[in-house]
Amino acid sequence: ENGCCVFCQEKMADYLCQELTMVRHTSVICRRADATEPNTPKMERVSGSVASPRLDSVIAMVFSSSRTKILPLIEGEKVFIDGKQVTSPAVQLKEGEIVSVRGMGKFRFAGSGGLSKKGRLYVYADKYV
């Protein structure tokens, strides 16, 4: 909730906590976290049906958009799969891959289920919130 974690080397932690007081125009309080504190991201399960697990169709499903609006993002080099830039909308996603779309968010492709009556594939993704 309304916070962030900064990972640094042990010898820099005290210095950062002492000196980090503002982020742009916002005052912040910095504290050293316990190494045993859980730091798991919050995720929300998104599911829907797509024609195939193509990158453009899965992104459109996850972010409730159209493939037409997603194509300029892919071609504009704003989409990354596991940290690698992707410029082809036809890439087939594999289970466990993490997709990041600049300006929209990030999700982990959780795989696919069965087929609908119309032959469409049910897919699942865990969207970072």
Side-chain angles (χ1 to χ4, degrees), residues 104-122:
M104 296 187 87
K106 181 165 84 166
F107 66 91
R108 183 179 60 82
F109 184 64
S112 57
L115 295 174
S116 71
K117 290 180 183 178
K118 293 185 178 181
R120 293 176 58 87
L121 187 66
Y122 287 112

Side-chain angles (χ1 to χ4, degrees), residues 59-128:
I59 292 174
M61 186 269 308
V62 170
F63 295 113
S64 301
S65 187
S66 67
R67 285 177 51 202
T68 308
K69 291 180 182 175
I70 298 300
L71 284 175
L73 295 172
I74 296 171
E75 293 167 352
E77 301 177 344
K78 295 185 181 201
V79 176
F80 300 84
I81 298 176
D82 290 335
K84 295 178 185 167
Q85 193 173 60
V86 179
T87 56
S88 171
V91 172
Q92 300 284 318
L93 288 176
K94 296 176 194 77
E95 189 174 330
E97 289 182 321
I98 295 177
V99 179
S100 176
V101 183
R102 283 193 187 151
M104 296 187 87
K106 181 165 84 166
F107 66 91
R108 183 179 60 82
F109 184 64
S112 57
L115 295 174
S116 71
K117 290 180 183 178
K118 293 185 178 181
R120 293 176 58 87
L121 187 66
Y122 287 112
V123 295
Y124 306 95
D126 297 316
K127 185 175 165 182
Y128 291 83

